[in-house]
Structures are given as structure tokens and as C-alpha cells.
Amino acid sequence: MDASVGVIGVGTMGSMLMWQLAKAGVSAIGFEQFGIGHDRSAAGGESRIFRTAYFEGPEYVPLLQESYKLWRELEEDTKSNLLTINGGLMIGEESLLGNVMKSVKDFQLEHEVLSADTVMHRYPQHRLSPSEIAVLDKKAGFIRPEVAVVAAVEAAKENGAEIFPYTRVESIHNSGAGVIVRANGRDFKFEKVFVTAGPWTKRFLPQLNDQFSVKRIVMTWYPAKDISLYTVERFPIFARLGKEHDYFGIPVLDGSMVKISRVGYYNEAADPDRLNRDVAPEELEIINSFVKESMPGILPNPTRLGVYMDGYMEDEHAIIGQAPHLDNVYIMGGYSGHGFKMAPVMGKVGLDILIKGKTELPIQHLKLSRHLTAASLE
Ligand SMILES: Cc1cc2nc3c(=O)[nH]c(=O)nc-3n(C[C@H](O)[C@H](O)[C@H](O)COP(=O)(O)OP(=O)(O)OC[C@H]3O[C@@H](n4cnc5c(N)ncnc54)[C@H](O)[C@@H]3O)c2cc1C
């Protein structure tokens, strides 16, 4: 055996899994087709939102609470600054905030419910309609994605893990008692393998068919009339649900621009090897008019654009489980535009599955078996 575990794809989830494995003393080799901390896939673009009052469903809250602790642990292990908590405004019509309200109630999350007038008085950066409200999630903020991946990999290496950057895995197959991974023309043998290939997930799990697709996501950064209103101290992160589109914002991090973007994808399924990184002016119309109408202190033309991608499941909940066609091969992916904040806890879930064959963490809603009946995972 080359190591106990092989990890295919050392991006967001793969880096956190490598950290967890190495910390637990499990020998592991990670393969990454690009450099560590690259921005060619789902983890680029300077910042990712962390929030606990969760639009996507209260079932995520325990995972997010555990993830919070692990972010702090990773910061401690690596003496780095990865997660900033500066609060988060979840804005929308009350009828759209059902899961946010259920999350704060069910788990007694620290929060405030604010009327439109109170929001605009306290945070003049926003313009709300009278029927909108906001829930201020006190445990929300943002993560620095590229350095988070680098930190997890460094922590893994510190604990004995081996990483092969710029090494693309070509195939995985069972042979005798092991799993053979072919990369850069060489065969590696492992007891178990975990695939964390993000947008490339379907290459290793073709059975997913139309349930999995790759979506292109455009990030936009804008200049402000008075940038001092958009600092970490004065401008909590926000997520805003609209009737047709959703938006989010993150404070100024480089001293010059505020990230305000549309949530989700730009309707184009992309081949992950041929992501279109050009942005047509008409693609910006929706986000620019949102900025014009609802963010009075921002100049409504972006000065920075970035195009990234994520693997999406049809129901927008990720998948974790055993690959149905390969013994001792597990897979996670399809984080559908909201996985970064959960990455450390997903690394822990991966470790549990590899070591114990199951996890105590509440991942029922993420099991691969909901899509592929042949897939098994206790
Ligand atoms: C623009 C954008 C904004 C987002 N905003 C947020 C946010 O604010 N908050 C939040 O929580 N989430 C957010 N998300 C979602 C989150 O970033 C993703 O869900 C998460 O990063 C997915 O992680 P992953 O490990 O599945 O994929 P990735 O991070 O892409 O990792 C997969 C890795 O596998 C490698 N790989 C693939 N195939 C091979 C192979 N054959 N050999 C070797 N290596 C391989 C890839 O190169 C890549 O590094 C956002 C996503 C995007 C794109």
C-alpha cells in the first residue's frame, strides 16, 4: 500500500478531509490537478459567507455549529485568520424567511428580528421595501477560501500527509484487496479512497446522470461612494431573498471594492474543463439593477468580475456515500453553491466514514442513497 487512504481532489472538501485524516494519524495521499489553493474551481474569489440561520433548512444548523468549532480549531492549528464573524443580515419578505426563523427558534440562535425602518436606520447601506424584514444572525461572517485550503493542507502535511499538486487522477479501480488510483501514468494502491472532485464528481460517479450538473457562477465587486461605510465593523454580511433572484454581500476586504453578487448560477451548465470565464454585459443587468435599487451607496457598475463553478444536485443538497460500483471508494460532492462554510465538518464526516463506516453527525439529508438506491452508507 502507498498509504491507507487516497483523496482525489484537494480543493475545499479534500483539503479538510486531508487535515482530519492526518490529525487522526491515518496515512493519506492527496491528488490535486491544479496548485493548492487555486481559483479554477469552486473555492476562488476571496471570500465565502458563513451563516447559521439557514435559508436552506434548519437540518443544517448542527453541522454548521460543529463546523464553526472546527474553523476555530484549524485557525488555532495553523495560527491563521480564516473566519471573521461580523454578523449577517438575512433580508426578505417574512414569507421567504421561514427556514431562517425556524433555524433561530429550533436552535435558539443568537439573533434580532429587525423591521425595514430599523435596518435602514442602523445600516443605511441598504434600501428595503416596507414589507421586508431582516433577521440579524449574530454568528455569521465570512471565510477566506484560498487561504483556508492552503492552511488545511499545511496542517495535514505537518501531521505526515503527502500531497501531489498538479497531478490529475485518470482512473480508479478495485484490484485484490486494494483500490488502484492511476495518476500521471503511475499506479498508487490504497485501502480506501475518497473522491472530493467538486465539479468533476460525475467523472467518478457517472450514474448520477441529470441529478448532477456543473453551474457557472459569476462574482461581482463594486466601488462605493464612501468605502468607509462598508468595512467589516460597519457592514455585516448580508443575504437577501428576492421574488426572482437572491443576492449577497461581503464587506470591503482589499480597501477598494465591495463584493455584491447574485446568489447561485447564471443558468449555464458548464463542462468543468471548459468553463467560460468571459462575462457578457447583459449577464450583469440583473445584479446591476439590484445594486441601483437597493444599495444606495454603491456605484452600480462592477469593477471586478470573477467566474467560478460548483457541482449542483437537482435538490441543491450535497451527496455523501459509498460509490455503488467500487468497493472501498467513497464520494462527496454537489454542494450546490453553499458548501464552503461546512467544509471542516464534512472533512470530519469523511474521516468517520473511512474509519468507522458511519458517522454520528446528522447527514441524513445528504446521503447519496436518496439518489442511487444501490449506494450504501449506514
Ligand atoms: C462563486 C462561488 C461562491 C460561493 N459562495 C459561497 C458562500 O458564500 N458560502 C458557502 O458556504 N459556499 C459558497 N459557495 C459554495 C462552495 O464554495 C462550494 O460548495 C465548495 O467550495 C465545493 O467544494 P468541493 O470540494 O466540492 O469542490 P472544489 O473546491 O472545486 O474541489 C474539488 C477539487 O478537485 C480537484 N479535482 C477534480 N478532479 C480531479 C482529478 N481527476 N484529479 C485531481 N484533482 C481533481 C479540483 O481541481 C478541485 O481542486 C460558493 C461557490 C462558488 C463557485
Side-chain angles (χ1 to χ4, degrees), residues 73-206:
E73 195 176 309
L74 180 59
E75 287 181 322
E76 184 63 26
D77 281 6
T78 56
K79 304 282 167 271
S80 50
N81 174 15
L82 307 174
L83 167 64
T84 300
I85 294 293
N86 71 330
L89 289 167
M90 307 297 129
I91 304 170
E93 304 281 340
E94 201 167 345
S95 59
L96 298 174
L97 297 179
N99 278 335
V100 170
M101 295 303 276
K102 196 160 168 30
S103 298
V104 298
K105 282 198 183 119
D106 289 0
F107 295 93
Q108 290 162 19
L109 304 178
E110 216 191 320
H111 74 285
E112 282 180 65
V113 180
L114 308 174
S115 68
D117 279 347
T118 311
V119 173
M120 290 189 285
H121 179 70
R122 231 194 257 180
Y123 306 105
Q125 303 91 335
H126 292 276
R127 190 181 289 142
L128 271 66
S129 71
S131 57
E132 286 179 302
I133 60 160
V135 175
L136 178 62
D137 175 356
K138 301 277 174 88
K139 208 168 228 174
F142 59 91
I143 310 157
R144 295 156 190 80
E146 295 90 345
V147 283
V149 169
V150 171
V153 164
E154 286 305 304
K157 288 197 321 207
E158 192 82 2
N159 284 289
E162 215 178 328
I163 310 277
F164 290 94
Y166 303 106
T167 304
R168 186 165 211 192
V169 169
E170 292 139 30
S171 65
I172 306 172
H173 67 272
N174 287 120
S175 161
V179 186
I180 307 293
V181 169
R182 191 159 184 83
N184 276 1
R186 185 185 149 191
D187 284 346
F188 295 80
K189 189 171 184 180
F190 301 103
E191 284 162 28
K192 294 179 181 179
V193 159
F194 217 117
V195 178
T196 47
W200 286 264
T201 297
K202 213 160 128 179
R203 254 198 86 203
F204 298 96
L205 197 59

Side-chain angles (χ1 to χ4, degrees), residues 6 29 40 44 53 94 112 145 151 177 185 192 196 210 224 268 279 282 294 320 352:
I29 294 178
R40 306 285 83 191
E94 201 167 345
E112 282 180 65
K192 294 179 181 179
T196 47
D210 293 344
E268 186 187 322
V279 181
E282 52 275 22
S294 307
I320 307 170
D352 285 348

